[in-house]
Amino acid sequence: MSYSTGEIAALCGVSVRTVQFYDKEGLLKPQSRSEGGRRLYGEDGLKTLQLICLYKQLGLNLAEIKSVLSDEENCRKILLRVLEEREKTLTEEIREKLSCRDSVRTVRRELAEGGAFSPKSFFDIRTIMKGKQKQRATYALMLVVGFLVDAAIAASAVVWGVTGLWVPFAVCAPCAVAAVIGTVAIAYKNLACVCTDCGGKFRPSVKEFLFSAHTPRTRRCVCKHCGSKNFHAVSYSD
């Protein structure tokens, strides 16, 4: 049986644009095309889209889903490993949220009693909020700098190619390198890892930070506390 883009999207509860995006990214391949050139998906395509939707619900990102789907022989092992790391990350996030909840409850109680905050409660709330703000600001900075660097390099390269003027590119290139180096240095200072084995927070080595395998939420490095070499959760530095 064959399904159009709209039909397969409806069967999996996603939008047509989502199906088109997965197709563009190479995750979902049409079985054939109709006489009018419309993409048609078979049962294998339906199964693949169902798996993609399931993996997204489990919290896997696009790179992880690609990794799982690309290796049919070892997909079970890869998925189990990815889910194990995801479980560890969620466990750490839950632990942080529970700690934040306990601090909020303490502050509410102390406010209701009309007294001043205890030093510990005041410190806990401020530390949690500042840390999360620092992490979000760091990610935002990396995104903005990356976009501006790409735009500047692309524009100056186009000017060079069209007009033969190489000066803008010669100026942009070193500035772009300096901006990237500065952003990476800020990210290294502001971000840390939380060990998925012992729960300790640590900063990876510069080499690990720059070159180790990573996802937006995890990074493969060696824990400074217990020596565990694993994918550890990315957090904020203290």
Side-chain angles (χ1 to χ4, degrees):
M1 186 173 181
S2 296
Y3 307 94
S4 67
T5 301
E7 289 171 339
I8 197 173
L11 286 171
C12 294
V14 297
S15 67
V16 170
R17 183 171 293 184
T18 298
V19 175
Q20 293 171 338
F21 173 73
Y22 291 148
D23 192 331
K24 181 182 177 182
E25 292 295 319
L27 290 172
L28 186 65
K29 298 179 180 179
Q31 185 183 50
S32 59
R33 289 179 182 268
S34 67
E35 293 182 359
R38 296 169 59 195
R39 288 176 168 81
L40 297 175
Y41 301 90
E43 294 296 330
D44 287 343
L46 177 60
K47 179 182 176 181
T48 299
L49 183 56
Q50 288 172 338
L51 287 174
I52 293 172
C53 294
L54 173 62
Y55 296 158
K56 289 289 291 181
Q57 280 189 321
L58 293 173
L60 276 65
N61 58 42
L62 196 62
E64 292 168 334
I65 294 174
K66 280 185 177 180
S67 177
V68 173
L69 294 178
S70 64
D71 192 342
E72 293 183 4
E73 292 184 3
N74 298 311
C75 64
R76 179 180 173 83
K77 292 181 180 178
I78 295 172
L79 179 58
L80 287 172
R81 185 176 71 245
V82 170
L83 290 177
E84 180 183 354
E85 298 303 327
R86 179 60 180 157
E87 181 183 0
K88 291 177 180 178
T89 302
L90 287 171
T91 300
E92 175 58 30
E93 290 176 358
I94 290 170
R95 181 165 56 187
E96 289 183 0
K97 289 183 182 298
L98 288 174
S99 176
C100 182
R101 184 202 63 184
D102 292 341
S103 296
V104 168
R105 284 179 174 176
T106 301
V107 170
R108 284 181 60 194
R109 185 176 66 251
E110 291 171 352
L111 278 172
E113 293 171 353
F117 298 144
S118 68
K120 183 180 185 305
S121 299
F122 186 66
F123 175 78
D124 285 347
I125 291 292
R126 291 190 63 189
T127 299
I128 290 169
M129 294 186 67
K130 283 185 177 180
K132 291 296 183 182
Q133 289 170 358
K134 184 192 297 184
Q135 188 175 0
R136 285 194 294 267
T138 300
Y139 284 140
L141 175 66
M142 294 170 69
L143 185 64
V144 170
V145 171
F147 174 78
L148 292 177
V149 165
D150 288 345
I153 291 295
S156 60
V158 169
V159 170
W160 188 1
V162 173
T163 67
L165 237 119
W166 55 270
V167 175
F169 184 83
V171 172
C172 279
C175 291
V177 171
V180 170
I181 292 174
T183 304
V184 170
I186 292 172
Y188 183 70
K189 178 182 178 182
N190 290 348
L191 300 178
C193 290
V194 177
C195 180
T196 51
D197 292 313
C198 71
K201 184 178 286 190
F202 65 95
R203 180 176 284 120
S205 67
V206 175
K207 181 179 179 181
E208 289 175 328
F209 185 80
L210 293 176
F211 303 112
S212 64
H214 63 278
T215 70
R217 293 183 295 269
T218 63
R219 180 175 298 276
R220 184 175 178 82
C221 49
V222 179
C223 174
K224 299 296 188 296
H225 302 287
C226 67
S228 169
K229 185 175 182 179
N230 207 335
F231 278 92
H232 302 296
V234 176
S235 181
Y236 52 87
S237 62
D238 293 326

